[in-house]
Amino acid sequence: MKEHGMKTYRIAAIPGDGIGKEVVPAGQAVLQALAAAQGNFNFEFTSFDWGGDYYREHGVMMPEDGLDALRGMDAILFGSAGDPHIPDHITLWGLRLKICQGFDQYANVRPTRILPGIKSPLGRCKREDLNWVIVRENSEGEYSGVGGRVHQGHPIEVATDVCMMTRVGVERIMRFAFRLAQSRPRRLLTVVTKSNAQRHAMVMWDEIALQISSEFPDVAWDKVLVDACTDRMVNRPASLDTLVATNLHADVLSDLAAALAGSLGIAPTGNIDPERRYPSMFEPIHGSAFDIMGQGLANPVGTFWSGVMMLEHLGEVAAAQRLMRAIEAVTANPALRTRDLGGQAGTEEVTNAVCRLLAQDDAQQAIAG
Ligand code: ATP
């Protein structure tokens, strides 16, 4: 079935730490099975052993010139950065943020849905009520890294983390969010703000939202304070569709979103360079999960769903849908639930099931059609 000259996607695999070392290889296996089933493209994976172990050996989480090795890739599949013996700000800034900032992946996209078979902790929430995409500003704001400490260790010590908001930075994330909202059926965007208390940067944020909205007359939009947004997510989930928020606000809201959709182990994310100057990076939102690492218990679904986002970014829409169907068939089956979802299945069992479903999908589609 395979022809010569078929499209090959070059993907960098960076498992990182903890369960990243389990879920990324699982993701690679599933993507390879998908490519074999589709028959019209290939994946060529290159693995990088960066992370905590690399730090112990070399004193850095990734090599200084590491970005050069990634630059020519079509995308990056990432696991997790975090090690019980290395401070979190070193693991985060030394690897994940180095890639996000180095490649100006300024849009962090986090879809959240309640997948079939998954129970939301929200008793009143129907499955169709919760279907959100959170767009997180991923390049500046509260996590810009600007700041410092003086008089360290003395009683007069001072520390600052300065929130940097640039007009260019806010305009581009607003435009991205409006465009994404426009591409979804409800064409609805909620701009999350805190301009009542933060009266400089967030007021500019609001002004720019209003300005960019005029470019998208077909998108309905509203504004909500971040604190009120938590209430709305819990009590009126169906009133939300696409959301855009600052780096810090979206960081918190998207973990809430993942929890409301049933499990941290399922939620995916993409760190996107919308201009495609650099490779974009796709990863599950969960961390290293030291409590279960190395035991084959990690839920790989967050990584598989990140693979769906990667395929969409690469323009392989049919393949993305095929993988999503397989994921949903697995979450719907109680025998294939991992421990975080109250089941008994392991990483390998879930991975094998998805690979099998991908191979059978043609037959199922034929029957359905
Ligand atoms: P980090 O600081 O790296 O973000 P963390 O401990 O704060 O790590 P997670 O690593 O995401 O957060 O783990 C939080 C809890 O959720 C842990 O008990 C972990 O076992 C569980 N968990 C997270 N991801 C998964 C997964 N994919 N499968 C099963 N359990 C998971």
Side-chain angles (χ1 to χ4, degrees):
M1 204 152 87
K2 292 191 178 160
E3 296 155 17
H4 215 64
M6 182 160 57
K7 175 86 193 151
T8 296
Y9 295 110
R10 299 182 61 214
I11 310 295
I14 309 177
D17 303 313
I19 60 169
K21 291 180 182 164
E22 298 164 62
V23 293
V24 167
Q28 288 175 244
V30 157
L31 288 168
Q32 294 288 26
L34 175 69
Q38 287 288 110
N40 57 348
F41 62 82
N42 280 317
F43 286 114
E44 185 184 301
F45 286 101
T46 309
S47 287
F48 296 88
D49 62 348
W50 303 338
D53 294 337
Y54 192 92
Y55 182 87
R56 267 179 284 280
E57 203 171 318
H58 303 276
V60 286
M61 293 286 290
M62 66 182 272
E64 271 317 305
D65 59 356
L67 292 182
D68 292 336
L70 304 178
R71 212 176 294 275
M73 300 285 175
D74 292 304
I76 303 164
L77 186 64
F78 190 83
S80 167
D83 187 290
H85 308 295
I86 307 172
D88 284 343
H89 65 274
I90 292 180
T91 54
L92 183 64
W93 281 95
L95 184 55
R96 211 183 137 266
L97 290 183
K98 203 176 157 109
I99 299 171
C100 286
Q101 299 209 333
F103 288 158
D104 200 20
Q105 295 162 342
Y106 66 82
N108 181 242
V109 179
R110 300 189 168 197
T112 309
R113 279 195 292 126
I114 303 174
L115 297 187
I118 305 293
K119 211 169 150 40
S120 166
L122 291 177
R124 293 190 300 268
C125 179
K126 296 193 289 292
R127 251 195 75 204
E128 60 274 18
D129 288 345
L130 201 166
N131 186 347
W132 304 329
V133 183
I134 299 180
V135 176
R136 168 180 173 183
E137 202 297 317
N138 210 30
S139 69
E140 53 175 39
E142 305 89 342
Y143 300 167
S144 61
V146 173
R149 291 171 71 170
V150 285
H151 311 306
Q152 273 199 52
H154 296 285
I156 55 167
E157 181 165 1
V158 175
T160 59
D161 265 296
V162 182
C163 170
M164 304 294 293
M165 297 248 184
T166 64
R167 177 164 282 278
V168 168
V170 179
E171 283 183 0
R172 66 184 185 175
I173 199 66
M174 286 296 170
R175 204 167 270 125
F176 179 87
F178 270 99
R179 200 169 287 135
L180 181 63
Q182 192 179 43
S183 75
R184 287 167 56 86
R186 291 178 70 191
R187 296 193 182 173
L188 174 65
L189 177 69
T190 298
V191 176
V192 180
T193 186
K194 193 62 196 174
S195 49
N196 57 344
Q198 293 175 291
R199 57 194 183 153
H200 308 294
M202 292 312 291
V203 171
M204 182 178 81
W205 171 271
D206 290 1
E207 286 169 8
I208 292 174
L210 177 64
Q211 168 205 326
I212 300 296
S213 71
S214 68
E215 297 171 21
F216 299 88
D218 56 342
V219 175
W221 74 287
D222 64 352
K223 223 165 51 181
V224 64
L225 295 175
V226 64
D227 40 339
C229 192
T230 58
D231 174 67
R232 205 161 136 188
M233 287 165 75
V234 170
N235 288 312
R236 288 193 295 135
S239 74
L240 298 164
D241 186 80
T242 308
L243 298 93
V244 61
T246 67
N247 214 331
L248 168 64
H249 292 165
D251 186 11
V252 179
L253 293 181
S254 58
D255 261 32
L256 173 61
L260 295 179
S263 168
L264 214 56
I266 290 176
T269 185
N271 302 283
I272 313 282
D273 165 25
E275 278 78 41
R276 296 171 185 265
R277 299 156 295 173
Y278 306 102
S280 293
M281 178 161 74
F282 301 86
E283 56 176 333
I285 77 159
H286 63 72
S288 305
F290 309 128
D291 51 337
I292 56 163
M293 70 181 186
Q295 298 172 46
L297 299 174
N299 187 348
V301 168
T303 306
F304 299 164
W305 194 349
S306 304
V308 172
M309 294 185 76
M310 187 179 93
L311 289 157
E312 286 167 350
H313 183 75
L314 294 172
E316 297 292 346
V317 178
Q321 288 169 350
R322 184 179 191 143
L323 179 51
M324 201 66 218
R325 279 196 299 274
I327 291 170
E328 293 187 347
V330 159
T331 60
N333 183 347
L336 291 172
R337 272 180 214 146
T338 42
R339 273 212 326 201
D340 54 310
L341 299 174
Q344 300 286 324
T347 312
E348 198 181 336
E349 225 176 316
V350 176
T351 306
N352 291 343
V354 171
C355 290
R356 249 192 335 270
L357 283 160
L358 288 169
Q360 291 164 5
D361 185 76
D362 273 338
Q364 280 169 1
Q365 287 303 301
I367 295 164

